[in-house]
Amino acid sequence: MATIKDVAKHAQVSTSTVSHVLNKTRYVSEEITEKVKAAVELLNYTPSALARSLKLKNTRTFGMLVTTSINPFFAEVVKGVERRCYEQGYNLLLCNTEGDFERLRFNIDMLLQKRVDGLLLMSDELVNQNIDIFERHEPVPTVVMDNGDTGFPTDKIQDNAYKGGYIATQYLIESGHTKIGCIRGPIDKPTAKKRYAGFEKAMYEAKLSINLDWVETSNFECEDAATAFKKLFQKGELPTAIFVCNDMMAMGVINAANSLGLSIPDDLSIIGYDDIKIARYMTPSLTTIHQSKFNLGRQAFDTLLDKIQTKRESDLEIQLEPTLVERNSVKKLL
């Protein structure tokens, strides 16, 4: 089996130069880089990840924690992170919490024991419990995505959920709707609170009253949202439009509405939130609020890498701006 010394000898360079080429830790001219790569390929050299991590005191591995990978929203964010990991030569260890606080603590302990270079966290349980994830470990650079306050220092990248909820509701109002309901996410989750607050602001500015019979709470998933809509339906008169606070719930609402003999958007207009990829392929295609999930993942990776490389001590807070995507699930009444 070839060693790094064999590669260096064949390429007629030092072992440190080979190391810099393979690890991208210093600029090496294109000519020498090509010579080293050719020697690596010819000799079928495979670097030892363990030896490298011991020498450089890093593992070129990031840990990522998400509430669930089933929701397409999380999958698209993870895709953005994975792409940047591949481009920058990093490994990714992905863990799901499934909403279980003990599983969250176990996964964080496991990732830190594996000496990951940094953490990317997208889990509401961190906010609800307000825990210090580093109480038993040496702190590592961390980026929290799409979340609220935490009990530890971290960079944050968040969607402007308040503005997104406002835009969604304002669009319904501008489309001529005055009887507007809302199926919101769990009231203890910061994202859900902010989207609903945006809904309230738009209704207040338009001098429209909020009928609490048309407001139901769900858990950001299809099945529970379908149940929430059926509860709303049973109360009597329906609104003409509903702001559903994520696309997964919007899918559940549309399915439930169809099962009750309602036509979307002729009988009921629906606007969602997130713009997951399948939203455009629903029937009807879903008008929704877009937040760039792939770019959220890419930016989270780049922010974490910047913190590691620059040894930046200050924490950043980056806010991504949502935009409206107009499709076919909202009827114009004007």
Side-chain angles (χ1 to χ4, degrees), residues 70-180:
I70 296 175
N71 189 323
F73 171 83
F74 292 104
E76 291 178 42
V77 175
V78 170
K79 183 177 179 181
V81 173
E82 286 181 323
R83 177 70 61 83
R84 289 299 286 147
C85 284
Y86 170 74
E87 292 170 350
Q88 296 296 320
Y90 273 75
N91 301 305
L92 183 68
L93 294 177
L94 178 64
C95 300
N96 297 326
T97 68
E98 302 294 347
D100 185 335
F101 178 64
E102 288 307 315
R103 187 168 171 181
L104 175 142
R105 294 185 69 94
F106 172 83
N107 284 331
I108 289 176
D109 284 343
M110 180 271 293
L111 291 171
L112 294 177
Q113 287 172 23
K114 289 185 178 296
R115 305 186 68 82
V116 295
D117 297 339
L119 290 171
L120 296 162
L121 305 177
M122 203 169 190
S123 178
D124 290 318
E125 292 77 36
L126 288 169
V127 175
N128 296 341
Q129 299 292 338
N130 198 31
I131 61 170
D132 181 357
I133 61 173
F134 302 118
E135 58 190 359
R136 296 198 299 271
H137 298 277
E138 184 79 17
V140 300
T142 303
V143 174
V144 169
M145 292 175 279
D146 198 31
N147 235 310
D149 294 332
T150 56
F152 51 90
T154 179
D155 289 344
K156 295 178 184 175
I157 302 179
Q158 302 183 78
D159 166 53
N160 190 341
Y162 178 79
K163 181 178 179 181
Y166 178 83
I167 292 172
T169 311
Q170 189 179 51
Y171 175 75
L172 295 176
I173 295 168
E174 290 174 349
S175 298
H177 295 274
T178 57
K179 297 178 179 180
I180 303 172

Side-chain angles (χ1 to χ4, degrees), residues 161-206:
Y162 178 79
K163 181 178 179 181
Y166 178 83
I167 292 172
T169 311
Q170 189 179 51
Y171 175 75
L172 295 176
I173 295 168
E174 290 174 349
S175 298
H177 295 274
T178 57
K179 297 178 179 180
I180 303 172
C182 182
I183 294 183
R184 59 187 182 181
I187 58 176
D188 62 333
K189 297 193 183 299
T191 298
K193 284 183 180 178
K194 292 174 184 176
R195 291 178 188 178
Y196 186 70
F199 164 77
E200 290 180 311
K201 179 188 179 185
M203 294 290 282
Y204 175 79
E205 286 185 352

Side-chain angles (χ1 to χ4, degrees), residues 22-36:
L22 297 179
N23 298 313
K24 301 179 182 178
T25 49
R26 195 187 71 188
Y27 171 77
V28 179
S29 70
E30 187 174 340
E31 180 183 356
I32 292 177
T33 296
E34 290 304 316
K35 287 176 64 177
V36 170

Side-chain angles (χ1 to χ4, degrees), residues 273-288:
Y273 201 113
D274 283 339
D275 192 26
I276 59 177
K277 188 166 288 188
I278 60 175
R280 73 193 68 179
Y281 301 111
M282 295 166 59
T283 304
S285 58
L286 184 65
T287 295
T288 186

Side-chain angles (χ1 to χ4, degrees), residues 1-8 18-19 22-23 36-52:
M1 182 179 292
T3 67
I4 192 171
K5 290 182 180 180
D6 297 326
V7 174
V18 175
S19 177
L22 297 179
N23 298 313
V36 170
K37 288 182 176 179
V40 166
E41 185 173 353
L42 179 67
L43 299 174
N44 196 26
Y45 171 66
T46 302
S48 167
L50 177 60
R52 178 193 174 283

